[in-house]
């Protein structure tokens, strides 16, 4: 153990030293040379090196990172029309060519899809980036019935443009950060000036720049590095694939993060209740929107309590069963050989297996899984006397209820918590249930998201927010931004500069 | 880090708790659905219980067990030796008392019912005209399990006010209240069926007498505000055999307590009632205002007469089932009330009763 | 960002702290000690509590929001103060721990009669521990959530309107009873919990309006108690109430819905939400005081306090024992809740006089 620690320490020391030396190098920029670049990218077969002897110009770029049309239009075509070496500097004065004096910058430029131009001991970069990427399509994980259907893609540029399209304001600011020692993933922090609270912006920037990791591939991975409470089961940043949802968060004064290579954007600060809202709510009549939102909170209650109540009641609190149900329930239990706790855990695990299998399989086979799982296993389990049919109803309804939660991360957390509650209920009945719920509440009340309370607007108590959290009031009554974003401009319809 | 510690603690607790014997797993539990209490000599009681059986492998729908013991809890330990199920009383719905026991007083048994925290306050208290265990033991082929049969019968009849719905709560409440005496439905075995045999009148916890089922609705009207009842009356004062059936009967009661010059208490009960005529066999026309008034008057007189008869009965038994004592109590000071022995006074009190009935509507026939 | 408690949070925190397990016996206590229409006595007690709160207000005003430790330590030497601190800390630790034990023992009447009560006690202690090691702001947040999770239970009282009769309340006031000072004390115990606000001075600012919040919470509590007691009186009648050990549990048991019956163990389970805050606030108070003596980390101190009180709570075995201990401690607490503010006021006045003399 101790030995291991020592090794870790030396490794860490080394990385710190190397980081320090890199900083030193920054002070004295290395003059970029072609030979240096070619040796840097040694063994990269996808690197293209072109030479135009008539004008003595070298081009270096990654073949699959550039848009060939653009390359031809911007670089090659002008170069072909140049006849003498002396005319080249004049051509390179055009604004798309940027002069580079630092070798490191040049390497990064080539890596991110630019073309390096070596001419006459000077080096230029030109942006002809053209990655083949997935086109904008529907979101798979967050679907709505009414409302826009486009979703973010894996490319940050497209995602940014999707947001810019929706917020045509010069106040929408974008800050670029880079995360990952090796991957150098671009992370963009978006906020609307004068609406977002700068404390949150600065806090987010601070946390992201403090990340020390070799690679980050997805938003959901990134935000685990910047969580307030990494041990918590609850997500502390809202993620969404829907541009209009993210745009609405921006306008509400929250800040947004986009990670290059990930189709989901994060938004913070967030509260527990935000995970239960969907853009669909706003696109319907307000009463229907409110009803479906309340339904989701009911679903939360059902998910957490149904199976555990079944276990608690059938194990300890028989007197809670209404007379008409008593006989049916006892009858269905009479063939089951296990205590209710194991019976319930068995069914819950089965459901989780089905869900996991359904998620991993292509959607066409997924349907078969649904039929096999739902009908065959469910029916057979009851007939074989492994479970009672009332339990199947309880488990199934609580599973369905858990999928009502629009945010997948949250519904997964809640489903996980359910197991804890079932065990507590199986051991200590209603007392265990009360203890479990108390524990959840205590945990939630300690949580923060970017330093602001996770339980807003219940605690801190902001009844004004309720009309946009538990219900949706008609829009003309929602005049203020959520209190959690602590916006300098709280009133929605008037912008104070 | 703390969460880990807490998790470990929880796990520790889970381990500690294995082998806990407070479980009441459904299929291993025998729910006493109804219990019967009968008197035996020298303070012993006969205790019978009916347990519904939900095991599909067993043909019978219920089990009936019976024993005699000093107390009901003692009896239960006897009974539990006879069954594979763990006997629990949390699902008790009906408590049946044999008439001979009721005549001696049932409070001794009520103690266990109230003390046991699992027993609901809503169990029904019912008197059996005869032997309670015998009734509970008997299976009525064309009806549900006997306990359930009685339970539903009483529940249904109570909606129509043919009988009061006496629960453990209302019985003990009226028992403790010094201004009212409890009433309990009384049933009897009529061969192939069970039928309602009237209303048992109690003084404190002892049975004193009963009111016939035919008078039950009028008794209910007297007892307090009343909704949704039916009563059929023969009106003898008319020339021919006139009968009238009143339904949707609603009434409200007002009680006035006055003191006569010689210090005697005079109680005046005013009842306003409305009803729908659902059947009228007679000569008068209901659509005619004057004639309808006439019918209303006749009906009112008829009901008043019945009510007075009931009041006489109550006074004879010295049971203040209507809660008139409450009004008397609330009209005097505490010291006076303490001095007044209401149960001794009650039979001599002058009670007047006046019922006014209005016909709300009379159906589709003019 | 949220260093100071808000007005609403303090109100709820104190309200939940005041509501404890006493609520389930309260109607019986009233009937036992005050007889007919005993609920009226709640109003007297309310007034006494308000006077007590005025005393605390005076401390707050005179001390200009300084913490009580600061006030005391300025003019009393630590050697005298430490035993005093220790006494208060152990009083509060014991109060919290016995309240938990009482709840557990009552719960065991309904369910789990043979399980070792200390297991349940341990569970509650663990919960309390997680909460105590957080700061008071987070405790207040948890209290707010718990408040919303139990406050709807007041609506359940509508269920009793059908069987409620005013005539059962009787027109007599405090008849059939022998009122002694003791009767008032036993009712007063139901109001305890507000004195914790003495420790909240450093955590509030002017905008909190601390003392107004506590007055409001006391008013809310009185309203809850009065409403509950009137319903209980009109539902059972005072003679019947006298015979019921835990009237509120009987009332819970009376509530039946078509989908769930015998609700008392579920509803009584929910009362845990309120009990836990009561316990936590006492323990938190004990912790705050102990910090003055032992400058340890809050977490360690909380653990020590909980551990010691857990060991002590092994001693009372029956409900009667626990309740007797609780009432003895409660009397001491009543003394403290009056004595401490009065002492502080005197101290502040002396300090002021000396300050002016200089």
């Amino acid at each position: 153990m101790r030995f291991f620690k020592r090794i870790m320490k030396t490794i860490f020391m080394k990385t710190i030293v190397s980081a320090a030396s890199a900083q030193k190098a920054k002070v004295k920029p290395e003059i970029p040379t072609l030979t240096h670049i070619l040796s840097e990218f040694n063994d990269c077969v996808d690197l293209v090196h072109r030479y135009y002897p008539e004008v003595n110009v070298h081009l270096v770029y990654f073949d699959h990172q550039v848009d060939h049309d653009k390359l031809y239009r911007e670089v090659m075509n002008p170069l072909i029309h140049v006849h003498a070496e002396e005319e080249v500097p004049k051509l390179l004065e055009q604004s798309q060519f940027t002069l580079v004096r630092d070798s490191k910058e040049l390497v990064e430029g080539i890596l991110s899809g630019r073309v390096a131009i070596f001419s006459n001991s000077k080096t230029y970069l030109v942006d002809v980036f053209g990655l083949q990427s997935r086109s904008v399509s529907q979101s798979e994980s967050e679907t709505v019935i009414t409302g826009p259907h486009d979703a973010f893609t894996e490319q940050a540029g497209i995602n940014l443009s999707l947001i810019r399209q929706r917020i045509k304001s010069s106040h929408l600011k974008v800050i670029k950060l880079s995360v990952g020692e090796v991957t150098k993933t671009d992370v963009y922090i978006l906020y609307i000036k004068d609406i977002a609270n700068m404390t949150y912006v600065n806090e987010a920037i601070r946390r992201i720049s403090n990340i020390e990791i070799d690679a980050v591939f997805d938003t959901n991975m990134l935000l685990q590095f910047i969580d307030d409470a990494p041990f918590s089961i609850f997500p502390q940043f809202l993620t969404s694939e829907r541009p209009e949802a993210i745009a609405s968060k921006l306008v509400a004064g929250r800040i947004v993060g986009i990670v290059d290579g990930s189709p989901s954007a994060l938004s913070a600060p967030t509260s527990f209740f935000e995970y239960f809202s969907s853009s669909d709510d706003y696109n319907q009549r307000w009463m229907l929107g409110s009803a479906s939102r309340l339904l989701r909170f009911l679903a939360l209650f059902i998910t957490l309590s149904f199976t555990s109540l079944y276990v608690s009641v059938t194990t300890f609190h028989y007197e809670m069963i209404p007379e008409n149900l008593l006989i049916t329930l006892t009858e269905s239990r009479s063939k089951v050989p296990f205590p209710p706790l194991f019976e319930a855990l068995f069914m819950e695990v089965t459901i989780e297996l089905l869900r996991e299998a359904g998620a991993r399989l292509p959607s066409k086979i997924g349907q078969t899984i649904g039929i096999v799982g739902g009908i065959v296993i469910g029916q057979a389990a009851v007939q074989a006397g492994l479970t009672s049919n009332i339990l199947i109803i309880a488990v199934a309804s609580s599973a369905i209820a858990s999928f009502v939660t629009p945010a997948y991360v949250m519904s997964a957390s809640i489903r996980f918590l359910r197991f804890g509650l079932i065990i507590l209920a199986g051991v200590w009945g209603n007392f265990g249930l009360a203890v479990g719920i108390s524990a959840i509440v205590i945990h939630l009340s300690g949580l923060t998201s970017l330093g602001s309370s996770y339980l807003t607007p219940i605690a801190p108590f902001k009844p004004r927010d309720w009309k946009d959290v538990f219900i949706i009031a008609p829009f003309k009554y929602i005049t203020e931004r959520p209190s959690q974003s602590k916006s300098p401009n709280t009133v929605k319809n008037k912008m104070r500069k | 880090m703390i969460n880990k510690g807490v998790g470990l603690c929880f796990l520790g607790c889970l381990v500690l708790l294995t082998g806990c014997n407070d479980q009441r797993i459904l299929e291993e539990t025998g729910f006493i659905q109804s219990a019967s209490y009968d008197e035996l000599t020298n303070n012993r009681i006969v205790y019978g219980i009916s347990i519904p059986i939900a095991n599909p492998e067993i043909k019978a729908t219920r089990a009936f067990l019976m024993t005699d013991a000093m107390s009901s809890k003692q009896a239960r330990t006897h009974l539990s030796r006879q069954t594979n199920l763990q006997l629990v009383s949390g699902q008790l719905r009906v408590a049946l008392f044999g008439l001979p026991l009721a005549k001696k007083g049932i409070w001794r048994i009520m103690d266990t019912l109230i003390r046991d925290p699992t027993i609901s306050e809503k169990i029904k208290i019912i008197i059996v005209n005869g032997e309670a265990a015998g009734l509970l033991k008997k299976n009525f082929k064309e009806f549900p399990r006997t306990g359930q049969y009685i339970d539903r019968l009483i529940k249904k009849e109570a909606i129509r006010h043919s009988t009061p719905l006496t629960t453990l709560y209302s019985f003990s409440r009226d028992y403790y209240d010094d201004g009212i005496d409890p009433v309990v439905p009384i049933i009897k075995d009529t061969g192939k069926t069970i039928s309602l045999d009237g209303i048992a009148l109690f003084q404190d916890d002892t049975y004193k007498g009963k009111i016939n089922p035919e008078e039950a609705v009028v008794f209910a009207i007297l007892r307090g505000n009343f909704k949704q009842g039916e009563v059929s009356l023969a009106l003898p004062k008319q020339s021919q055999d006139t009968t009238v059936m009143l339904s949707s009967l609603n009434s409200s009661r007002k009680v006035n307590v006055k003191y006569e010059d010689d210090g005697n208490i005079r109680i005046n009960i005013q009842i306003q009632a409305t009803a729908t005529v659902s059947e009228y066999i007679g000569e008068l026309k209901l659509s005619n205002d004057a004639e309808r008034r006439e019918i209303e008057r006749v009906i009112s007189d008829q009901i008043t007469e019945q009510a007075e008869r009931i009041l006489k009965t109550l006074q004879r038994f010295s049971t203040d089932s209507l809660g008139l004592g409450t009004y008397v109590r609330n009209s005097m000071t505490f010291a006076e009330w303490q001095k007044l022995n209401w149960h001794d006074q009650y039979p001599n009190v002058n009670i007047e009763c006046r019922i006014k009935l209005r016909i709300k509507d009379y159906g589709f026939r003019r | 960002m949220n260093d100071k408690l808000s007005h609403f949070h303090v109100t709820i925190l104190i309200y939940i702290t005041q509501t404890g397990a006493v609520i389930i016996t309260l109607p019986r206590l009233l009937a036992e000690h005050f007889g007919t229409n005993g609920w009226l006595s709640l109003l007297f007690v309310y007034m006494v509590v308000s006077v007590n709160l005025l005393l605390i207000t005076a401390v707050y005003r005179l001390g200009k929001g300084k913490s009580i430790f600061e006030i005391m330590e300025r003019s009393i030497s630590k050697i005298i103060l430490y035993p005093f601190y220790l006494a208060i800390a152990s009083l509060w630790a014991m109060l919290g721990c016995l309240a938990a034990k009482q709840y557990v023992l009552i719960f065991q009447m309904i369910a789990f009669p043979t399980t070792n009560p200390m297991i349940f006690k341990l569970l509650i202690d663990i919960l309390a521990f997680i909460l105590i090691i957080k700061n008071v702001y987070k405790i207040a947040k948890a209290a707010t959530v718990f408040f919303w999770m139990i406050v709807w239970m007041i609506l359940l009282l509508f269920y009793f309107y059908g069987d409620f009769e005013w005539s059962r309340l009787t027109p007599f006031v405090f008849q059939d009873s022998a009122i002694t000072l003791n009767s008032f004390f036993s009712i007063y115990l139901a109001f305890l919990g507000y004195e914790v606000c003495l420790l909240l001075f450093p955590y509030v600012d002017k905008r909190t309006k601390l003392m107004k919040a506590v007055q409001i919470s006391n008013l809310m509590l009185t309203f809850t108690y009065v409403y509950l007691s009137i319903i209980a009186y009109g539902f059972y009648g005072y003679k019947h109430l006298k015979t019921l050990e835990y009237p509120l549990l009987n009332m819970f048991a009376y509530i039946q819905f078509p989908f769930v019956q015998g609700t008392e163990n579920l509803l009584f389970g929910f009362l845990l939400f309120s009990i836990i805050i009561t316990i936590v606030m006492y323990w938190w108070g004990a912790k705050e005081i102990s910090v003055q003596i032992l400058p340890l980390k809050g977490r360690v101190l909380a653990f020590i306090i909980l551990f010691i009180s857990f060991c002590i709570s092994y001693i009372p075995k029956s409900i009667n024992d626990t309740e007797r201990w609780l009432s003895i401690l409660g009397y001491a607490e009543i003394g403290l809740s009056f004595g401490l503010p009065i002492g502080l006021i005197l101290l502040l006045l002396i300090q002021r006089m000396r300050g002016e003399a200089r």
Side-chain angles (χ1 to χ4, degrees), chain C residues 67-70 72-73 78 82 85 199 286-296 301:
Chain C
S67 93
I68 57 167
F69 306 117
E70 223 176 291
M72 284 193 278
E73 278 163 23
K78 291 197 171 171
Y82 278 0
Y85 283 171
L199 292 178
K287 190 194 85 180
E288 286 287 292
I289 293 180
S290 325
V291 169
Q292 307 294 321
I293 313 171
L294 277 172
L296 284 174
L301 260 182

Side-chain angles (χ1 to χ4, degrees), chain C residues 81-258:
Chain C
L81 274 180
Y82 278 0
F84 178 62
Y85 283 171
L86 198 67
I88 299 179
S90 39
L91 172 64
W92 282 353
M94 287 304 296
L95 265 178
C97 135
L98 286 171
K101 176 100 185 197
Q102 185 197 17
Y103 174 81
V104 166
L105 286 174
I106 295 173
F107 193 87
Q108 286 203 302
M109 288 172 53
I110 314 175
F112 304 102
T114 58
T115 312
N116 185 354
M118 292 320 278
I119 291 174
F120 295 116
K121 175 79 177 35
L122 182 65
L123 274 176
I124 294 184
D125 284 8
I126 292 170
L127 276 183
F129 180 72
I130 325 176
L131 202 50
I132 291 169
I133 55 175
K134 300 194 161 96
N135 58 31
V136 72
Y137 180 73
K138 285 179 179 169
I139 297 177
K141 282 208 294 186
T144 316
V145 181
F146 285 139
F147 171 75
W148 291 118
M149 286 165 80
I150 56 163
V151 76
W152 59 270
M153 279 162 72
I154 294 176
L155 295 180
L156 288 178
L157 290 176
F158 282 117
Y159 194 89
F160 300 98
Y161 281 22
D163 281 299
F164 178 87
E165 262 176 46
W166 286 104
S167 67
R168 229 167 266 145
L169 283 168
T170 74
F172 316 126
V173 176
F174 297 166
Q175 296 296 339
D176 200 12
S177 64
I179 304 173
T180 58
L181 201 58
N182 189 31
S183 355
F184 276 103
F185 278 143
S186 60
I187 302 299
Y188 201 95
L189 294 183
F191 284 77
L192 282 179
Y194 61 88
E195 66 280 0
V196 179
C197 72
L198 273 170
L199 292 178
L200 291 178
F201 292 169
Y203 301 98
V204 296
D205 55 14
K206 275 218 175 108
R207 277 183 307 149
T208 311
K209 296 191 203 109
L210 173 71
M211 293 323 291
K212 200 176 149 203
V214 182
Q215 291 280 10
I216 291 173
S217 83
N218 191 33
L219 197 65
M220 277 162 62
L221 184 81
T222 313
F223 169 76
T224 318
Y225 281 174
V226 167
Y227 183 41
L228 169 72
S229 312
I230 289 180
I231 296 286
Y233 265 79
F235 184 69
Y236 284 115
Y238 81 98
K239 277 198 173 170
H240 192 189
L241 266 184
K242 272 187 189 177
T243 66
L244 296 171
E245 183 74 23
Y246 301 110
L248 189 62
L249 286 186
N250 284 45
M251 287 169 80
F252 279 160
Y254 190 74
I255 299 171
Q256 289 192 344
F257 299 109

